[in-house]
């Protein structure tokens, strides 16, 4: 079946014919998460959505491949030369790049993004969203979404179901 990310990958005219897939979700690797501890020295790679989901939802900062603890991670385009040459990543300069507006940081997960548009997209998917509203209204916190669902739609989340949920609320 064709997922939204597969369709996006197929539509990119600058993309190589062979697009690798994320080892976690098996979607095309458009944006790749590189862990600081292992500096992404693995052949297999993880997409930015799975990297964010693991760090934010599960609180797991380990590399999916080697299981090393990665306090920080960098999200780059899959075509970025830093993926092939890990020595080009200057971890000690990432904060400076954020201050200069050349990179963006998700403070909660310690993820650095090389692209502002993708950073904003990842912020959107990680926020609580009402899937009932036609405009998919987003909220800052789960409690705000719960209040909205109760007031506007007379619905609620099952706490038992949410307890073991390993994905974003909008997924």
């Amino acid at each position: 079946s064709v997922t939204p990310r597969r369709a996006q990958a197929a539509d990119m005219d600058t993309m190589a014919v062979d697009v690798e897939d994320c080892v976690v979700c098996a979607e095309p690797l458009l944006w790749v998460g590189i862990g600081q501890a292992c500096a992404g020295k693995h052949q297999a790679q993880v997409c930015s959505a799975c990297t964010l989901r693991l760090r934010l939802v599960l609180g797991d900062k380990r590399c999916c491949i080697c299981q090393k603890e990665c306090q920080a991670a960098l999200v780059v385009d899959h075509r970025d030369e830093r993926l092939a040459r890990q020595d080009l990543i200057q971890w000690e300069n990432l904060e400076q790049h954020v201050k200069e507006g050349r990179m963006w940081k998700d403070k909660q997960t310690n993820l650095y993004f090389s692209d502002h548009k993708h950073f904003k997209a990842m912020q959107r998917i990680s926020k609580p969203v009402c899937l009932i509203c036609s405009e998919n209204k987003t909220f800052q916190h789960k409690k705000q979404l719960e209040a909205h669902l109760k007031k506007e739609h007379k619905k609620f989340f099952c706490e038992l179901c949410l307890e073991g949920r390993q994905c974003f609320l909008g997924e």
Side-chain angles (χ1 to χ4, degrees), residues 33-42 51 55 61-63 66 68-75 86 89-95 109-112:
I34 304 169
Q36 183 177 9
C38 56
K41 294 176 183 162
H42 316 293
T51 302
R55 296 174 81 83
K61 292 184 168 61
R62 292 175 298 160
C63 169
C66 70
K68 286 184 182 174
E69 186 80 15
C70 296
Q71 288 306 313
L74 174 63
V75 173
Q86 299 300 320
I89 300 174
Q90 298 175 334
W91 293 96
E92 65 279 359
N93 294 337
L94 294 183
E95 281 297 329
T109 60
N110 216 22
L111 271 179
Y112 294 85

PDB file of all heavy atoms in Angstrom, residues 33-42 51 55 61-63 66 68-75 86 89-95 109-112:
ATOM      1  N   GLY A  33      17.524  10.407  11.703  1.00  0.00           N
ATOM      2  CA  GLY A  33      18.010  10.774  13.022  1.00  0.00           C
ATOM      3  C   GLY A  33      19.379  10.143  13.260  1.00  0.00           C
ATOM      4  O   GLY A  33      19.551   8.945  13.059  1.00  0.00           O
ATOM      5  N   ILE A  34      20.344  10.965  13.667  1.00  0.00           N
ATOM      6  CA  ILE A  34      21.702  10.495  13.943  1.00  0.00           C
ATOM      7  C   ILE A  34      21.980  10.712  15.422  1.00  0.00           C
ATOM      8  O   ILE A  34      21.940  11.840  15.899  1.00  0.00           O
ATOM      9  CB  ILE A  34      22.748  11.294  13.125  1.00  0.00           C
ATOM     10  CG1 ILE A  34      22.451  11.220  11.638  1.00  0.00           C
ATOM     11  CG2 ILE A  34      24.159  10.798  13.441  1.00  0.00           C
ATOM     12  CD1 ILE A  34      23.282  12.197  10.815  1.00  0.00           C
ATOM     13  N   GLY A  35      22.266   9.652  16.147  1.00  0.00           N
ATOM     14  CA  GLY A  35      22.566   9.755  17.570  1.00  0.00           C
ATOM     15  C   GLY A  35      23.992  10.203  17.812  1.00  0.00           C
ATOM     16  O   GLY A  35      24.908   9.810  17.089  1.00  0.00           O
ATOM     17  N   GLN A  36      24.186  11.012  18.842  1.00  0.00           N
ATOM     18  CA  GLN A  36      25.509  11.544  19.145  1.00  0.00           C
ATOM     19  C   GLN A  36      26.491  10.462  19.589  1.00  0.00           C
ATOM     20  O   GLN A  36      27.644  10.461  19.176  1.00  0.00           O
ATOM     21  CB  GLN A  36      25.416  12.619  20.229  1.00  0.00           C
ATOM     22  CG  GLN A  36      26.741  13.268  20.546  1.00  0.00           C
ATOM     23  CD  GLN A  36      26.602  14.375  21.582  1.00  0.00           C
ATOM     24  OE1 GLN A  36      25.551  14.550  22.182  1.00  0.00           O
ATOM     25  NE2 GLN A  36      27.665  15.117  21.774  1.00  0.00           N
ATOM     26  N   ALA A  37      26.062   9.532  20.407  1.00  0.00           N
ATOM     27  CA  ALA A  37      26.971   8.524  20.957  1.00  0.00           C
ATOM     28  C   ALA A  37      27.563   7.620  19.886  1.00  0.00           C
ATOM     29  O   ALA A  37      28.740   7.285  19.928  1.00  0.00           O
ATOM     30  CB  ALA A  37      26.254   7.681  22.005  1.00  0.00           C
ATOM     31  N   CYS A  38      26.746   7.245  18.931  1.00  0.00           N
ATOM     32  CA  CYS A  38      27.238   6.338  17.883  1.00  0.00           C
ATOM     33  C   CYS A  38      27.478   7.085  16.575  1.00  0.00           C
ATOM     34  O   CYS A  38      28.025   6.522  15.636  1.00  0.00           O
ATOM     35  CB  CYS A  38      26.258   5.205  17.667  1.00  0.00           C
ATOM     36  SG  CYS A  38      24.590   5.760  17.281  1.00  0.00           S
ATOM     37  N   ALA A  39      27.049   8.352  16.526  1.00  0.00           N
ATOM     38  CA  ALA A  39      27.193   9.204  15.336  1.00  0.00           C
ATOM     39  C   ALA A  39      26.700   8.520  14.076  1.00  0.00           C
ATOM     40  O   ALA A  39      27.224   8.719  13.009  1.00  0.00           O
ATOM     41  CB  ALA A  39      28.628   9.686  15.186  1.00  0.00           C
ATOM     42  N   GLY A  40      25.679   7.703  14.215  1.00  0.00           N
ATOM     43  CA  GLY A  40      25.044   7.088  13.047  1.00  0.00           C
ATOM     44  C   GLY A  40      25.967   6.241  12.208  1.00  0.00           C
ATOM     45  O   GLY A  40      25.833   6.200  10.998  1.00  0.00           O
ATOM     46  N   LYS A  41      26.912   5.547  12.804  1.00  0.00           N
ATOM     47  CA  LYS A  41      27.901   4.760  12.059  1.00  0.00           C
ATOM     48  C   LYS A  41      27.339   3.447  11.541  1.00  0.00           C
ATOM     49  O   LYS A  41      28.072   2.563  11.172  1.00  0.00           O
ATOM     50  CB  LYS A  41      29.119   4.491  12.944  1.00  0.00           C
ATOM     51  CG  LYS A  41      29.881   5.737  13.293  1.00  0.00           C
ATOM     52  CD  LYS A  41      31.009   5.457  14.238  1.00  0.00           C
ATOM     53  CE  LYS A  41      31.682   6.778  14.589  1.00  0.00           C
ATOM     54  NZ  LYS A  41      32.485   6.699  15.774  1.00  0.00           N
ATOM     55  N   HIS A  42      26.036   3.322  11.517  1.00  0.00           N
ATOM     56  CA  HIS A  42      25.391   2.076  11.124  1.00  0.00           C
ATOM     57  C   HIS A  42      24.895   2.175   9.688  1.00  0.00           C
ATOM     58  O   HIS A  42      24.554   3.247   9.208  1.00  0.00           O
ATOM     59  CB  HIS A  42      24.209   1.784  12.045  1.00  0.00           C
ATOM     60  CG  HIS A  42      24.523   2.015  13.486  1.00  0.00           C
ATOM     61  ND1 HIS A  42      25.417   1.237  14.178  1.00  0.00           N
ATOM     62  CD2 HIS A  42      24.090   2.945  14.360  1.00  0.00           C
ATOM     63  CE1 HIS A  42      25.509   1.685  15.414  1.00  0.00           C
ATOM     64  NE2 HIS A  42      24.715   2.725  15.550  1.00  0.00           N
ATOM     65  N   THR A  51      12.583   8.588  15.512  1.00  0.00           N
ATOM     66  CA  THR A  51      13.547   9.134  16.466  1.00  0.00           C
ATOM     67  C   THR A  51      12.819  10.010  17.478  1.00  0.00           C
ATOM     68  O   THR A  51      13.018   9.875  18.691  1.00  0.00           O
ATOM     69  CB  THR A  51      14.634   9.946  15.732  1.00  0.00           C
ATOM     70  OG1 THR A  51      15.290   9.100  14.778  1.00  0.00           O
ATOM     71  CG2 THR A  51      15.661  10.501  16.701  1.00  0.00           C
ATOM     72  N   ARG A  55      12.071   9.188  21.583  1.00  0.00           N
ATOM     73  CA  ARG A  55      12.582  10.103  22.606  1.00  0.00           C
ATOM     74  C   ARG A  55      11.452  10.774  23.384  1.00  0.00           C
ATOM     75  O   ARG A  55      11.535  10.930  24.598  1.00  0.00           O
ATOM     76  CB  ARG A  55      13.501  11.138  21.958  1.00  0.00           C
ATOM     77  CG  ARG A  55      14.752  10.518  21.352  1.00  0.00           C
ATOM     78  CD  ARG A  55      15.599  11.516  20.589  1.00  0.00           C
ATOM     79  NE  ARG A  55      16.445  12.292  21.460  1.00  0.00           N
ATOM     80  CZ  ARG A  55      17.629  11.898  21.919  1.00  0.00           C
ATOM     81  NH1 ARG A  55      18.106  10.724  21.582  1.00  0.00           N
ATOM     82  NH2 ARG A  55      18.340  12.681  22.701  1.00  0.00           N
ATOM     83  N   LYS A  61      16.244   7.299  24.866  1.00  0.00           N
ATOM     84  CA  LYS A  61      17.266   8.062  24.149  1.00  0.00           C
ATOM     85  C   LYS A  61      18.375   7.163  23.585  1.00  0.00           C
ATOM     86  O   LYS A  61      19.421   7.628  23.198  1.00  0.00           O
ATOM     87  CB  LYS A  61      17.849   9.134  25.064  1.00  0.00           C
ATOM     88  CG  LYS A  61      16.848  10.222  25.397  1.00  0.00           C
ATOM     89  CD  LYS A  61      17.471  11.323  26.215  1.00  0.00           C
ATOM     90  CE  LYS A  61      16.609  12.531  26.332  1.00  0.00           C
ATOM     91  NZ  LYS A  61      15.346  12.381  26.957  1.00  0.00           N
ATOM     92  N   ARG A  62      18.111   5.873  23.527  1.00  0.00           N
ATOM     93  CA  ARG A  62      19.110   4.950  22.987  1.00  0.00           C
ATOM     94  C   ARG A  62      19.010   4.869  21.466  1.00  0.00           C
ATOM     95  O   ARG A  62      17.939   5.028  20.889  1.00  0.00           O
ATOM     96  CB  ARG A  62      18.923   3.552  23.571  1.00  0.00           C
ATOM     97  CG  ARG A  62      19.235   3.468  25.055  1.00  0.00           C
ATOM     98  CD  ARG A  62      18.926   2.113  25.594  1.00  0.00           C
ATOM     99  NE  ARG A  62      17.487   1.872  25.440  1.00  0.00           N
ATOM    100  CZ  ARG A  62      16.917   0.674  25.449  1.00  0.00           C
ATOM    101  NH1 ARG A  62      17.636  -0.405  25.612  1.00  0.00           N
ATOM    102  NH2 ARG A  62      15.618   0.548  25.317  1.00  0.00           N
ATOM    103  N   CYS A  63      20.130   4.551  20.848  1.00  0.00           N
ATOM    104  CA  CYS A  63      20.166   4.289  19.415  1.00  0.00           C
ATOM    105  C   CYS A  63      19.401   2.994  19.160  1.00  0.00           C
ATOM    106  O   CYS A  63      19.574   2.008  19.881  1.00  0.00           O
ATOM    107  CB  CYS A  63      21.622   4.148  18.957  1.00  0.00           C
ATOM    108  SG  CYS A  63      21.805   3.515  17.274  1.00  0.00           S
ATOM    109  N   CYS A  66      22.420   0.210  17.879  1.00  0.00           N
ATOM    110  CA  CYS A  66      23.468  -0.285  18.786  1.00  0.00           C
ATOM    111  C   CYS A  66      23.097  -0.180  20.266  1.00  0.00           C
ATOM    112  O   CYS A  66      23.842  -0.654  21.118  1.00  0.00           O
ATOM    113  CB  CYS A  66      24.782   0.438  18.522  1.00  0.00           C
ATOM    114  SG  CYS A  66      24.766   2.179  19.027  1.00  0.00           S
ATOM    115  N   LYS A  68      23.263   2.294  22.247  1.00  0.00           N
ATOM    116  CA  LYS A  68      24.035   3.252  23.037  1.00  0.00           C
ATOM    117  C   LYS A  68      23.145   4.426  23.407  1.00  0.00           C
ATOM    118  O   LYS A  68      22.320   4.873  22.615  1.00  0.00           O
ATOM    119  CB  LYS A  68      25.234   3.783  22.245  1.00  0.00           C
ATOM    120  CG  LYS A  68      26.364   2.804  22.105  1.00  0.00           C
ATOM    121  CD  LYS A  68      27.528   3.462  21.396  1.00  0.00           C
ATOM    122  CE  LYS A  68      28.656   2.480  21.197  1.00  0.00           C
ATOM    123  NZ  LYS A  68      29.745   3.065  20.388  1.00  0.00           N
ATOM    124  N   GLU A  69      23.318   4.927  24.631  1.00  0.00           N
ATOM    125  CA  GLU A  69      22.575   6.104  25.099  1.00  0.00           C
ATOM    126  C   GLU A  69      23.052   7.330  24.311  1.00  0.00           C
ATOM    127  O   GLU A  69      24.249   7.592  24.232  1.00  0.00           O
ATOM    128  CB  GLU A  69      22.826   6.304  26.597  1.00  0.00           C
ATOM    129  CG  GLU A  69      22.015   7.401  27.221  1.00  0.00           C
ATOM    130  CD  GLU A  69      20.583   6.989  27.544  1.00  0.00           C
ATOM    131  OE1 GLU A  69      20.281   5.778  27.549  1.00  0.00           O
ATOM    132  OE2 GLU A  69      19.771   7.889  27.777  1.00  0.00           O
ATOM    133  N   CYS A  70      22.126   8.070  23.715  1.00  0.00           N
ATOM    134  CA  CYS A  70      22.449   9.258  22.924  1.00  0.00           C
ATOM    135  C   CYS A  70      21.759  10.465  23.551  1.00  0.00           C
ATOM    136  O   CYS A  70      20.555  10.654  23.358  1.00  0.00           O
ATOM    137  CB  CYS A  70      21.993   9.091  21.479  1.00  0.00           C
ATOM    138  SG  CYS A  70      22.830   7.778  20.588  1.00  0.00           S
ATOM    139  N   GLN A  71      22.490  11.266  24.288  1.00  0.00           N
ATOM    140  CA  GLN A  71      21.897  12.433  24.940  1.00  0.00           C
ATOM    141  C   GLN A  71      21.357  13.422  23.919  1.00  0.00           C
ATOM    142  O   GLN A  71      20.364  14.084  24.168  1.00  0.00           O
ATOM    143  CB  GLN A  71      22.914  13.104  25.868  1.00  0.00           C
ATOM    144  CG  GLN A  71      23.198  12.295  27.112  1.00  0.00           C
ATOM    145  CD  GLN A  71      21.924  11.933  27.868  1.00  0.00           C
ATOM    146  OE1 GLN A  71      21.053  12.764  28.101  1.00  0.00           O
ATOM    147  NE2 GLN A  71      21.806  10.668  28.249  1.00  0.00           N
ATOM    148  N   ALA A  72      22.004  13.520  22.775  1.00  0.00           N
ATOM    149  CA  ALA A  72      21.546  14.424  21.713  1.00  0.00           C
ATOM    150  C   ALA A  72      21.469  13.637  20.407  1.00  0.00           C
ATOM    151  O   ALA A  72      22.116  12.603  20.246  1.00  0.00           O
ATOM    152  CB  ALA A  72      22.499  15.600  21.555  1.00  0.00           C
ATOM    153  N   ALA A  73      20.657  14.142  19.500  1.00  0.00           N
ATOM    154  CA  ALA A  73      20.563  13.542  18.170  1.00  0.00           C
ATOM    155  C   ALA A  73      20.326  14.657  17.160  1.00  0.00           C
ATOM    156  O   ALA A  73      19.801  15.719  17.489  1.00  0.00           O
ATOM    157  CB  ALA A  73      19.444  12.516  18.112  1.00  0.00           C
ATOM    158  N   LEU A  74      20.744  14.413  15.947  1.00  0.00           N
ATOM    159  CA  LEU A  74      20.638  15.373  14.850  1.00  0.00           C
ATOM    160  C   LEU A  74      19.745  14.785  13.774  1.00  0.00           C
ATOM    161  O   LEU A  74      19.894  13.615  13.412  1.00  0.00           O
ATOM    162  CB  LEU A  74      22.038  15.657  14.295  1.00  0.00           C
ATOM    163  CG  LEU A  74      22.156  16.521  13.048  1.00  0.00           C
ATOM    164  CD1 LEU A  74      21.645  17.930  13.305  1.00  0.00           C
ATOM    165  CD2 LEU A  74      23.600  16.551  12.571  1.00  0.00           C
ATOM    166  N   VAL A  75      18.810  15.592  13.260  1.00  0.00           N
ATOM    167  CA  VAL A  75      17.930  15.164  12.171  1.00  0.00           C
ATOM    168  C   VAL A  75      18.342  15.913  10.917  1.00  0.00           C
ATOM    169  O   VAL A  75      18.371  17.145  10.898  1.00  0.00           O
ATOM    170  CB  VAL A  75      16.443  15.446  12.508  1.00  0.00           C
ATOM    171  CG1 VAL A  75      15.559  15.163  11.305  1.00  0.00           C
ATOM    172  CG2 VAL A  75      16.011  14.618  13.704  1.00  0.00           C
ATOM    173  N   GLN A  86      30.468  11.094   8.816  1.00  0.00           N
ATOM    174  CA  GLN A  86      30.076  11.447  10.171  1.00  0.00           C
ATOM    175  C   GLN A  86      31.040  12.439  10.822  1.00  0.00           C
ATOM    176  O   GLN A  86      30.657  13.169  11.724  1.00  0.00           O
ATOM    177  CB  GLN A  86      29.973  10.188  11.037  1.00  0.00           C
ATOM    178  CG  GLN A  86      28.943   9.199  10.546  1.00  0.00           C
ATOM    179  CD  GLN A  86      27.546   9.779  10.506  1.00  0.00           C
ATOM    180  OE1 GLN A  86      27.146  10.503  11.390  1.00  0.00           O
ATOM    181  NE2 GLN A  86      26.803   9.460   9.463  1.00  0.00           N
ATOM    182  N   ILE A  89      30.038  16.167  11.325  1.00  0.00           N
ATOM    183  CA  ILE A  89      29.135  16.639  12.373  1.00  0.00           C
ATOM    184  C   ILE A  89      29.976  17.177  13.526  1.00  0.00           C
ATOM    185  O   ILE A  89      30.765  16.458  14.124  1.00  0.00           O
ATOM    186  CB  ILE A  89      28.211  15.517  12.890  1.00  0.00           C
ATOM    187  CG1 ILE A  89      27.364  14.972  11.743  1.00  0.00           C
ATOM    188  CG2 ILE A  89      27.321  16.042  14.017  1.00  0.00           C
ATOM    189  CD1 ILE A  89      26.534  13.766  12.125  1.00  0.00           C
ATOM    190  N   GLN A  90      29.800  18.444  13.812  1.00  0.00           N
ATOM    191  CA  GLN A  90      30.509  19.078  14.925  1.00  0.00           C
ATOM    192  C   GLN A  90      29.512  19.261  16.061  1.00  0.00           C
ATOM    193  O   GLN A  90      28.867  20.293  16.189  1.00  0.00           O
ATOM    194  CB  GLN A  90      31.121  20.397  14.474  1.00  0.00           C
ATOM    195  CG  GLN A  90      32.153  20.201  13.383  1.00  0.00           C
ATOM    196  CD  GLN A  90      32.684  21.515  12.838  1.00  0.00           C
ATOM    197  OE1 GLN A  90      32.000  22.531  12.895  1.00  0.00           O
ATOM    198  NE2 GLN A  90      33.886  21.479  12.329  1.00  0.00           N
ATOM    199  N   TRP A  91      29.396  18.231  16.893  1.00  0.00           N
ATOM    200  CA  TRP A  91      28.401  18.208  17.956  1.00  0.00           C
ATOM    201  C   TRP A  91      28.543  19.387  18.893  1.00  0.00           C
ATOM    202  O   TRP A  91      27.558  19.935  19.370  1.00  0.00           O
ATOM    203  CB  TRP A  91      28.482  16.885  18.721  1.00  0.00           C
ATOM    204  CG  TRP A  91      28.077  15.718  17.884  1.00  0.00           C
ATOM    205  CD1 TRP A  91      28.909  14.883  17.196  1.00  0.00           C
ATOM    206  CD2 TRP A  91      26.753  15.278  17.595  1.00  0.00           C
ATOM    207  NE1 TRP A  91      28.168  13.947  16.515  1.00  0.00           N
ATOM    208  CE2 TRP A  91      26.854  14.156  16.744  1.00  0.00           C
ATOM    209  CE3 TRP A  91      25.491  15.721  17.988  1.00  0.00           C
ATOM    210  CZ2 TRP A  91      25.735  13.475  16.280  1.00  0.00           C
ATOM    211  CZ3 TRP A  91      24.380  15.043  17.527  1.00  0.00           C
ATOM    212  CH2 TRP A  91      24.501  13.932  16.681  1.00  0.00           C
ATOM    213  N   GLU A  92      29.780  19.784  19.143  1.00  0.00           N
ATOM    214  CA  GLU A  92      30.005  20.878  20.093  1.00  0.00           C
ATOM    215  C   GLU A  92      29.512  22.223  19.556  1.00  0.00           C
ATOM    216  O   GLU A  92      29.337  23.172  20.313  1.00  0.00           O
ATOM    217  CB  GLU A  92      31.492  20.962  20.487  1.00  0.00           C
ATOM    218  CG  GLU A  92      32.437  21.333  19.355  1.00  0.00           C
ATOM    219  CD  GLU A  92      32.828  20.181  18.420  1.00  0.00           C
ATOM    220  OE1 GLU A  92      32.387  19.034  18.640  1.00  0.00           O
ATOM    221  OE2 GLU A  92      33.569  20.435  17.457  1.00  0.00           O
ATOM    222  N   ASN A  93      29.248  22.328  18.258  1.00  0.00           N
ATOM    223  CA  ASN A  93      28.805  23.590  17.650  1.00  0.00           C
ATOM    224  C   ASN A  93      27.298  23.672  17.422  1.00  0.00           C
ATOM    225  O   ASN A  93      26.800  24.693  16.942  1.00  0.00           O
ATOM    226  CB  ASN A  93      29.517  23.815  16.313  1.00  0.00           C
ATOM    227  CG  ASN A  93      31.010  24.028  16.489  1.00  0.00           C
ATOM    228  OD1 ASN A  93      31.472  24.428  17.562  1.00  0.00           O
ATOM    229  ND2 ASN A  93      31.768  23.740  15.448  1.00  0.00           N
ATOM    230  N   LEU A  94      26.556  22.619  17.741  1.00  0.00           N
ATOM    231  CA  LEU A  94      25.121  22.614  17.441  1.00  0.00           C
ATOM    232  C   LEU A  94      24.377  23.725  18.179  1.00  0.00           C
ATOM    233  O   LEU A  94      23.517  24.387  17.600  1.00  0.00           O
ATOM    234  CB  LEU A  94      24.506  21.252  17.757  1.00  0.00           C
ATOM    235  CG  LEU A  94      24.983  20.087  16.886  1.00  0.00           C
ATOM    236  CD1 LEU A  94      24.232  18.815  17.257  1.00  0.00           C
ATOM    237  CD2 LEU A  94      24.833  20.388  15.411  1.00  0.00           C
ATOM    238  N   GLU A  95      24.696  23.939  19.449  1.00  0.00           N
ATOM    239  CA  GLU A  95      24.027  25.010  20.218  1.00  0.00           C
ATOM    240  C   GLU A  95      24.290  26.378  19.583  1.00  0.00           C
ATOM    241  O   GLU A  95      23.400  27.220  19.518  1.00  0.00           O
ATOM    242  CB  GLU A  95      24.471  25.006  21.677  1.00  0.00           C
ATOM    243  CG  GLU A  95      23.804  23.961  22.525  1.00  0.00           C
ATOM    244  CD  GLU A  95      22.295  24.125  22.650  1.00  0.00           C
ATOM    245  OE1 GLU A  95      21.772  25.258  22.619  1.00  0.00           O
ATOM    246  OE2 GLU A  95      21.615  23.094  22.768  1.00  0.00           O
ATOM    247  N   THR A 109      13.371  16.880  23.813  1.00  0.00           N
ATOM    248  CA  THR A 109      13.993  15.629  23.371  1.00  0.00           C
ATOM    249  C   THR A 109      15.482  15.760  23.076  1.00  0.00           C
ATOM    250  O   THR A 109      16.141  14.760  22.844  1.00  0.00           O
ATOM    251  CB  THR A 109      13.299  15.121  22.094  1.00  0.00           C
ATOM    252  OG1 THR A 109      13.428  16.111  21.079  1.00  0.00           O
ATOM    253  CG2 THR A 109      11.843  14.806  22.351  1.00  0.00           C
ATOM    254  N   ASN A 110      15.981  16.993  23.058  1.00  0.00           N
ATOM    255  CA  ASN A 110      17.380  17.267  22.710  1.00  0.00           C
ATOM    256  C   ASN A 110      17.683  16.821  21.278  1.00  0.00           C
ATOM    257  O   ASN A 110      18.752  16.313  20.984  1.00  0.00           O
ATOM    258  CB  ASN A 110      18.341  16.618  23.707  1.00  0.00           C
ATOM    259  CG  ASN A 110      19.548  17.491  23.958  1.00  0.00           C
ATOM    260  OD1 ASN A 110      19.523  18.692  23.742  1.00  0.00           O
ATOM    261  ND2 ASN A 110      20.624  16.882  24.411  1.00  0.00           N
ATOM    262  N   LEU A 111      16.717  17.029  20.397  1.00  0.00           N
ATOM    263  CA  LEU A 111      16.878  16.751  18.969  1.00  0.00           C
ATOM    264  C   LEU A 111      17.186  18.056  18.247  1.00  0.00           C
ATOM    265  O   LEU A 111      16.493  19.059  18.446  1.00  0.00           O
ATOM    266  CB  LEU A 111      15.595  16.177  18.377  1.00  0.00           C
ATOM    267  CG  LEU A 111      15.377  14.685  18.399  1.00  0.00           C
ATOM    268  CD1 LEU A 111      14.034  14.338  17.781  1.00  0.00           C
ATOM    269  CD2 LEU A 111      16.477  13.939  17.706  1.00  0.00           C
ATOM    270  N   TYR A 112      18.205  18.033  17.417  1.00  0.00           N
ATOM    271  CA  TYR A 112      18.579  19.185  16.604  1.00  0.00           C
ATOM    272  C   TYR A 112      18.134  18.922  15.172  1.00  0.00           C
ATOM    273  O   TYR A 112      18.304  17.813  14.663  1.00  0.00           O
ATOM    274  CB  TYR A 112      20.094  19.401  16.635  1.00  0.00           C
ATOM    275  CG  TYR A 112      20.621  19.793  17.992  1.00  0.00           C
ATOM    276  CD1 TYR A 112      20.939  18.841  18.946  1.00  0.00           C
ATOM    277  CD2 TYR A 112      20.803  21.135  18.313  1.00  0.00           C
ATOM    278  CE1 TYR A 112      21.424  19.211  20.191  1.00  0.00           C
ATOM    279  CE2 TYR A 112      21.287  21.512  19.556  1.00  0.00           C
ATOM    280  CZ  TYR A 112      21.593  20.534  20.483  1.00  0.00           C
ATOM    281  OH  TYR A 112      22.067  20.906  21.709  1.00  0.00           O
TER     282      TYR A 112
END
